[in-house]
Amino acid sequence: MAPPSNNRQPTHHDVIIIGAGAAGLMCAATTGYRGRRTLVLDHANKPGKKILMSGGGRCNFTNLNSTPANFLSDNPHYCISALKRYTPQDFVELVDRHGVEYEEKAPGQLFCQDSAKDILNVLLTECEWAGAEIRMETSVNSVTETGDGYHLATSAGNFTCESLVVATGGLSIPTMGATGFGYDIARQFGLEVLPTRAGLVPFTLHPELKQQLAPLSGVSCPVDAHCHNEHFREPMLVTHRGLSGPAMLQVSSYWQPGDEIHINLLPAQKIQQDLLDLRRDKPQSTLLQYLNQHLPKRFAQAFNELQGWRGPLQEYRNADIGQVAQALGDWTIKPAGTEGYRTAEVTLGGVDTRQLSSKTMAVQDQPNLFFIGEVVDVTGHLGGHNFQWAWASGVAAGNVA
């Protein structure tokens, strides 16, 4: 890295980007390479904090199978253009050029082999090569429109720019510095902000069920979870607060307070037929023995007790077996709530994309004001899709800002 210059930077830049996260840094490199004098401002002490903590510290930086169908939005067509023009393969090529080693942990999900720092370093190096300046620990106090751009009053002085890009993220994980500042800017300029809520977030349970499952904290099992006809076949994890793991996080983005969640605990089995066959061939078998074959022993024991199943299968009539199959194949729970923004990976809702250009991310009647990344109403599924939106929306704005 070059030593910091002692020369006082001019206050005018072609482009100012608020937010040094994934989308903001990607946009900065893109504008910088176009020869645009670019400044990134962020109130945090270090750039890319959410990048560093993502994927258990190894950053699930894209998903090779990412399509518009992997995103939630009140305006579902909006994300198509940007995602088509900057694909997962485009980002993989960038990572390859920097020599980052990565692995495919689940189908399509690419993680750094060593550390999420590798992805942050790619972005910071690209910004440096492109001549984009990054100023941390700089709070933006106000933004005002001028005749030929925008004026920003900040804790580090006043700046002006021709193009302003808002990449402030959502409300998720406030300990990382998340605020609603981007939404405030949007409202200031007359944009609608759709209601926000925590997404990709663990569920909390009502006291009785929470107490029954408490001994299972840390136990994981593959399930098929669904809510509002959206199915996810992934692992579920029992925690001391409730239910988590990929299956629950995915479903949480579709869940509304009061909704039930339906969980097939044995998605790979034909449960009713299995039990009928077992009763015929080994009538002395118990349901617990069957569960022990297909579920972690601690989970099998607790679920068996929860349901009060006793005695050998020969004592179960066909109707009883149907009820058992129903309980296992459609375990229905009504969560008390979610853990909220404190642990949510993303924020649902945000700046209404109907007011933005899907090609440039610019406000339709203010072509020099852009909103990218999580601050807008585009939210991906778990598994690298949200990073792909950050890269794609950052490049889309960066190509014109």
Side-chain angles (χ1 to χ4, degrees):
M1 299 278 278
S5 167
N6 292 323
N7 297 333
R8 193 160 175 268
Q9 289 294 318
T11 57
H12 183 78
H13 292 76
D14 298 325
V15 183
I16 292 180
I17 298 164
I18 307 176
L25 294 175
M26 193 71 179
C27 185
T30 308
T31 56
Y33 278 128
R34 288 177 48 235
R36 302 281 281 164
R37 179 180 283 168
T38 300
L39 174 66
V40 182
L41 300 175
D42 198 302
H43 67 114
N45 61 344
K46 291 177 182 170
K49 281 191 169 183
K50 278 183 81 174
I51 296 173
L52 293 177
M53 67 163 289
S54 66
R58 289 176 57 203
C59 188
N60 179 190
F61 57 83
T62 193
N63 191 307
L64 297 174
N65 305 319
S66 197
T67 72
N70 296 111
F71 294 85
L72 293 81
S73 175
D74 202 48
N75 179 19
H77 297 292
Y78 177 76
C79 65
I80 295 172
S81 174
L83 290 168
K84 272 189 177 172
R85 286 179 293 128
Y86 193 86
T87 66
Q89 199 53 50
D90 291 323
F91 193 75
V92 169
E93 285 171 13
L94 174 64
V95 166
D96 285 341
R97 285 202 299 277
H98 285 258
V100 174
E101 295 193 354
Y102 53 86
E103 60 183 325
E104 190 172 357
K105 282 176 73 171
Q109 297 181 20
L110 300 188
F111 287 76
C112 296
Q113 210 144 34
D114 298 323
S115 162
K117 285 181 187 168
D118 293 342
I119 295 299
L120 181 56
N121 287 339
V122 167
L123 296 168
L124 294 176
T125 301
E126 287 287 321
C127 285
E128 187 183 358
W129 289 349
E133 182 190 351
I134 301 168
R135 286 199 185 200
M136 303 306 296
E137 298 183 287
T138 303
S139 299
V140 178
N141 300 321
S142 68
V143 177
T144 49
E145 197 172 2
T146 63
D148 52 1
Y150 298 89
H151 176 277
L152 283 71
T154 82
S155 58
N158 296 324
F159 297 92
T160 58
C161 61
E162 182 186 323
S163 294
L164 179 64
V165 182
V166 180
T168 49
L171 298 170
S172 311
I173 318 185
T175 54
M176 290 279 151
T179 72
F181 184 58
Y183 308 135
D184 295 340
I185 297 175
R187 291 188 189 100
Q188 178 189 331
F189 288 100
L191 304 185
E192 187 177 347
V193 177
L194 298 175
T196 57
R197 59 191 175 89
L200 300 181
V201 62
F203 289 108
T204 57
L205 299 174
H206 291 289
E208 187 183 0
L209 184 57
K210 182 179 164 184
Q211 191 176 352
Q212 288 164 331
L213 297 181
L216 299 179
S217 182
V219 174
S220 173
C221 52
V223 302
D224 185 315
H226 67 103
C227 182
H228 295 296
N229 296 319
E230 295 290 338
H231 282 257
F232 294 96
R233 189 164 172 175
E234 304 214 42
M236 173 184 75
L237 173 70
V238 183
T239 73
H240 60 283
R241 283 188 292 267
L243 295 176
S244 186
M248 295 297 104
L249 297 185
Q250 297 278 38
V251 161
S252 73
S253 293
Y254 296 89
W255 179 84
Q256 298 278 1
D259 286 346
E260 292 178 333
I261 296 171
H262 300 268
I263 302 168
N264 183 345
L265 292 168
L266 299 175
Q269 302 305 124
K270 292 185 168 63
I271 304 168
Q272 188 158 350
Q273 194 58 51
D274 283 356
L275 294 174
L276 291 171
D277 292 346
L278 194 57
R279 185 184 63 180
R280 181 192 66 218
D281 299 336
K282 296 181 178 175
Q284 291 299 317
S285 295
T286 65
L287 283 166
L288 180 57
Q289 287 171 324
Y290 173 72
L291 295 181
N292 278 334
Q293 289 180 320
H294 303 293
L295 289 167
K297 298 264 191 298
R298 275 166 62 201
F299 193 94
Q301 182 82 38
F303 196 81
N304 195 67
E305 285 178 22
L306 190 64
Q307 300 295 331
W309 292 330
R310 302 278 183 273
L313 278 173
Q314 65 186 8
E315 294 177 5
Y316 284 72
R317 299 165 302 165
N318 286 357
D320 299 330
I321 284 178
Q323 287 175 350
V324 170
Q326 176 74 12
L328 287 167
D330 187 16
W331 182 37
T332 304
I333 60 167
K334 188 178 278 192
T338 73
E339 291 188 11
Y341 292 120
R342 186 178 64 79
T343 57
E345 296 199 16
V346 292
T347 304
L348 293 150
V351 178
D352 189 347
T353 59
R354 290 179 181 85
Q355 304 151 107
L356 307 176
S357 159
S358 62
K359 186 165 187 218
T360 67
M361 313 283 123
V363 177
Q364 292 191 349
D365 57 358
Q366 296 175 69
N368 291 327
L369 178 61
F370 303 79
F371 288 83
I372 60 174
E374 195 184 344
V375 74
V376 303
D377 174 39
V378 175
T379 307
H381 289 166
L382 192 69
H385 302 285
N386 286 294
F387 275 122
Q388 187 55 37
W389 172 246
W391 316 139
S393 61
V395 168
N399 279 329
V400 290

